[in-house]
């Protein structure tokens, strides 16, 4: 129960942070591609970093963090990290794309927070991952998602696609809305 409660706070905090950064990226007068890379290089060389530089660095830190989270437990080589990072936005990605990606990550973390809270409440109520009637936590989560308008499979949640297996978050993937 304690871990699930901690997860609620972690995922909700990440969701809020990612959403706030996505909103800032959407509003910022930024470009992507080689010109943005060149502009940032000049700013770094002249010591003229600004809010745009800070936004880019924060977005890069989040993409690196999310990529590293996707690695399996244990030691990772540089090649492992490179492969894990491949599907994530690059430094040169268009800020609007990065904002959409962050929005999708935010929604995914929000869904993870909802699940962690549901799990903590379920275990607190039943003392285990199974109700006395035999219904499992996973079945109860899927039923709850249907009750609140979700499909229980991520299908009605914008930016979250995929299907669950035994883990309610396992097998889900994200894509920016509109992609």
């Amino acid at each position: 129960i304690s871990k699930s409660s901690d997860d609620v706070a972690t995922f909700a905090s990440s969701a809020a942070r990612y959403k706030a950064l996505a909103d800032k990226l959407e509003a910022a007068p930024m470009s992507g591609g080689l010109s943005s890379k060149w502009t940032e290089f000049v700013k770094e060389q002249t010591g003229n970093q600004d809010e745009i530089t800070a936004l880019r660095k924060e977005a890069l830190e989040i993409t690196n963090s999310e990529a590293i989270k996707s690695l399996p437990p244990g030691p990772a080589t540089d090649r492992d990290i490179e492969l894990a990072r491949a599907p994530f936005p690059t430094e040169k990605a268009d800020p609007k794309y990065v904002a959409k990606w962050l929005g999708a990550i935010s929604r995914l973390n929000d869904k993870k927070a909802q699940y962690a809270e549901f799990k903590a409440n379920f275990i607190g109520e039943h003392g285990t991952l199974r109700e006395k009637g035999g219904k499992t936590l996973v079945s109860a989560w899927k039923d709850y998602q249907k009750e609140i308008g979700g499909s229980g499979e991520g299908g009605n949640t914008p930016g979250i696609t995929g299907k669950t297996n035994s883990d309610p978050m396992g097998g889900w993937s994200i894509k920016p809305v509109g992609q």
Side-chain angles (χ1 to χ4, degrees), residues 12 46 63 83 102:
T46 60
T63 58
L83 289 171
L102 284 168

Side-chain angles (χ1 to χ4, degrees), residues 10-11 15 23-25 28 60 64 66 68 89 92 102 117 125-126 130 140 170 175 178:
T10 300
F11 294 136
D23 291 344
K24 288 178 186 177
L25 286 170
L60 182 60
N64 287 337
E66 290 295 324
I68 290 169
K92 294 183 266 184
L102 284 168
E117 182 176 26
E125 184 177 332
H126 302 288
R130 186 178 295 275
K175 66 176 184 168

Side-chain angles (χ1 to χ4, degrees), residues 97-119:
Y97 173 79
V98 176
K100 288 179 182 180
W101 180 83
L102 284 168
I105 293 286
S106 173
R107 288 187 297 280
L108 181 61
N109 275 287
D110 193 39
K111 184 62 79 172
K112 286 179 178 180
Q114 290 172 20
Y115 172 71
E117 182 176 26
F118 182 87
K119 183 178 179 181

Side-chain angles (χ1 to χ4, degrees), residues 54-72:
L55 289 174
R56 287 187 189 283
K57 285 185 178 189
E58 187 175 359
L60 182 60
E61 183 254 316
I62 289 170
T63 58
N64 287 337
S65 173
E66 290 295 324
I68 290 169
K69 284 182 200 174
S70 72
L71 290 169

Side-chain angles (χ1 to χ4, degrees), residues 90-169:
T90 66
E91 285 182 78
K92 294 183 266 184
D94 183 283
K96 304 297 184 211
Y97 173 79
V98 176
K100 288 179 182 180
W101 180 83
L102 284 168
I105 293 286
S106 173
R107 288 187 297 280
L108 181 61
N109 275 287
D110 193 39
K111 184 62 79 172
K112 286 179 178 180
Q114 290 172 20
Y115 172 71
E117 182 176 26
F118 182 87
K119 183 178 179 181
N121 291 337
F122 187 93
I123 293 170
E125 184 177 332
H126 302 288
T128 182
L129 297 176
R130 186 178 295 275
E131 293 178 353
K132 287 184 180 169
K135 182 183 246 183
T136 65
L137 168 67
V138 173
S139 296
W141 170 250
K142 287 180 180 182
D143 290 347
Y144 173 71
Q145 288 301 295
K146 288 176 186 171
E147 285 176 27
I148 65 169
S151 69
E153 303 279 339
N156 290 344
T157 306
I160 301 175
T161 62
K163 186 172 182 177
T164 62
N165 296 316
S166 61
D167 176 356
M169 295 310 290

Side-chain angles (χ1 to χ4, degrees), residues 11 15 26 37 59 113 129 143 173 179:
F11 294 136
E26 286 278 342
K37 184 92 168 156
L129 297 176
D143 290 347
S173 62
Q179 294 293 316

